[in-house]
Amino acid sequence: MAKQIVSLYADLIDGMDADGQQLVADLHAFFNPAVPSRLPAAPPLVAPRAVGPKWRWPQWHWPRTALVAALAIFALVGATYVVLPLLQSLWSEDRGLQHVTQAGLARDLNLRQTINGVTVHVQKGYADANRVAIGYSVEFPPTTTANDGPQFSVAILTDDHGNAYPSLGFSTTGDSPLGAQVHNFEPLGVTAGRDIAFTLTIPEVVRAPKGGGTVQAFRGAWVFNFTLPMAAARVVEQTQTFTRPGVELTITRIVVAPSATRFDYRVHLEGFTDRAGASLWLSISGRGHGGYDYAPPCQPDVECFYFATEPLLDADALHADAWISIPDREPCPPRERCEVGRDGKPLAIRIDGLVLPLR
């Protein structure tokens, strides 16, 4: 195992030095449990390469004392150093947030508070007409149980006019005393570009233990004040209706913003009994796009919305296939393949070849 670990630090230690290899393995093991396994950690610490001829083993290698000092510093500061890559990885999993970051629209906030040993570091923010996204890290005290599960928190977003922004859901990193979260909020129909002063309040953060047990709760509240520019959006008021036997899908309004596209829609059902409503799911070029549609199934003939977290601001039209999911009020039994409901009607209806104007 030591040799496998040492291969990550090939530039730091002589491959023939057994004691040095064991030291590297021990320091690596000391640091890495704080990094969620599902996300890439910080890059390995390597020696800077000089300009000029390439040196080869064993003609040159770091002195043992320099290696010990470098890895010790890495172990001590690593928990702080790895926060930003963790949040960047989580933030970039969302195509829309990745796009606005590359376009220079996301803002670095760098606000930090420590209460009762828990540090919350609000690092990134972005706002447009479809969502407000806030990314932050949470560092728990060293006494936090090492084998705890994911971290969660309740985040409340308000503005300087007292408006509360409903949650659209959040994502979080995995099992680590040091992790990151990205929370998304509905921006209350704002479509014009302007600056908005926000207050983010986090009443508490918790760790959910693996396999059940007592949840560890750390109470705040952590309160952060910041201003974000609200990126302008484009609204398309053009109603389109698509029909299939027993189902009618109507797109009533489309809001196109840099980070996501919102589709307001309603579904009309005929002949479906004992159903819990319907949900919309879009596929673009064979890839599903369902960002933050966490609401329960939409009731028939009620206005609902669907997010595609896809950068579509520069597109003239969207070519997609749609799926209308019409679940039973009683879910399909586990491990059974249920293609139709109890009334003999399908559980999903596909509508191919939608062309939706985005201008």
Side-chain angles (χ1 to χ4, degrees):
M1 176 62 69
K3 290 184 178 180
Q4 295 175 357
I5 297 300
V6 168
S7 65
L8 298 175
Y9 307 95
D11 289 343
L12 298 182
I13 186 167
D14 189 337
M16 302 300 293
D17 184 353
D19 293 338
Q21 291 181 5
Q22 187 59 52
L23 175 62
V24 171
D26 292 343
L27 288 172
H28 180 91
F30 170 81
F31 169 68
N32 274 282
V35 182
S37 59
R38 63 183 284 264
L39 291 175
L45 182 66
V46 297
R49 299 188 181 276
V51 177
K54 294 183 179 179
W55 296 93
R56 298 182 182 276
W57 300 104
Q59 292 174 291
W60 174 89
H61 61 275
W62 274 27
R64 177 72 172 275
T65 54
L67 171 66
V68 172
L71 288 180
I73 292 172
F74 186 40
L76 291 174
V77 305
T80 300
Y81 175 60
V82 80
V83 170
L84 188 55
L86 283 174
L87 181 61
Q88 287 176 338
S89 296
L90 188 63
W91 187 277
S92 297
E93 288 178 0
D94 186 305
R95 286 175 56 83
L97 295 181
Q98 182 184 47
H99 168 72
V100 298
T101 301
Q102 294 171 344
L105 299 177
R107 175 165 290 186
D108 293 328
L109 299 174
N110 195 28
L111 303 171
R112 185 192 302 265
Q113 285 185 14
T114 300
I115 299 177
N116 296 327
V118 177
T119 299
V120 177
H121 184 187
V122 177
Q123 299 176 36
K124 297 182 75 68
Y126 171 76
D128 65 26
N130 282 330
R131 60 167 155 173
V132 181
I134 309 296
Y136 57 84
S137 64
V138 178
E139 183 177 355
F140 290 98
T143 55
T144 303
T145 306
N147 62 352
D148 276 352
Q151 59 171 254
F152 302 96
S153 63
V154 175
I156 302 169
L157 187 70
T158 57
D159 62 22
D160 55 349
H161 294 292
N163 299 312
Y165 290 66
S167 174
L168 288 172
F170 72 98
S171 55
T172 181
T173 54
D175 310 337
S176 169
L178 178 66
Q181 300 179 37
V182 176
H183 285 251
N184 294 269
F185 303 89
E186 186 179 357
L188 304 175
V190 178
T191 57
R194 60 185 178 89
D195 288 355
I196 297 181
F198 290 106
T199 297
L200 179 72
T201 303
I202 304 172
E204 69 175 8
V205 294
V206 301
R207 296 298 303 276
K210 295 179 180 178
T214 303
V215 172
Q216 289 183 285
F218 300 85
R219 298 189 181 278
W222 295 263
V223 180
F224 303 91
N225 297 298
F226 51 87
T227 299
L228 292 176
M230 179 72 69
R234 186 171 62 248
V235 180
V236 179
E237 302 276 5
Q238 184 174 333
T239 300
Q240 286 188 290
T241 299
F242 307 90
T243 60
R244 290 296 182 271
V247 175
E248 185 177 271
L249 168 65
T250 301
I251 306 293
T252 58
R253 182 173 180 260
I254 302 175
V255 180
V256 189
S259 76
T261 301
R262 171 178 169 141
F263 301 87
D264 293 344
Y265 74 95
R266 61 177 179 267
V267 176
H268 177 72
L269 303 176
E270 292 184 1
F272 291 84
T273 60
D274 195 27
R275 294 304 181 93
S279 297
L280 174 65
W281 185 82
L282 294 180
S283 174
I284 305 170
S285 301
R287 185 176 67 248
H289 294 274
Y292 299 94
D293 189 15
Y294 293 127
C298 185
Q299 295 303 307
D301 303 311
V302 173
E303 198 84 4
C304 300
F305 64 85
Y306 172 89
F307 276 104
T309 53
E310 183 80 4
L312 299 173
L313 190 63
D314 296 330
D316 294 324
L318 174 65
H319 299 261
D321 299 326
W323 289 86
I324 305 297
S325 174
I326 312 173
D328 280 334
R329 293 191 182 277
E330 297 272 338
C332 182
R335 300 182 181 179
E336 290 189 19
R337 183 178 179 182
C338 298
E339 296 181 349
V340 298
R342 298 183 179 186
D343 52 10
K345 297 290 185 177
L347 294 175
I349 296 176
R350 181 169 177 168
I351 305 176
D352 293 334
L354 275 66
V355 180
L356 303 174
L358 299 181
R359 293 188 183 276

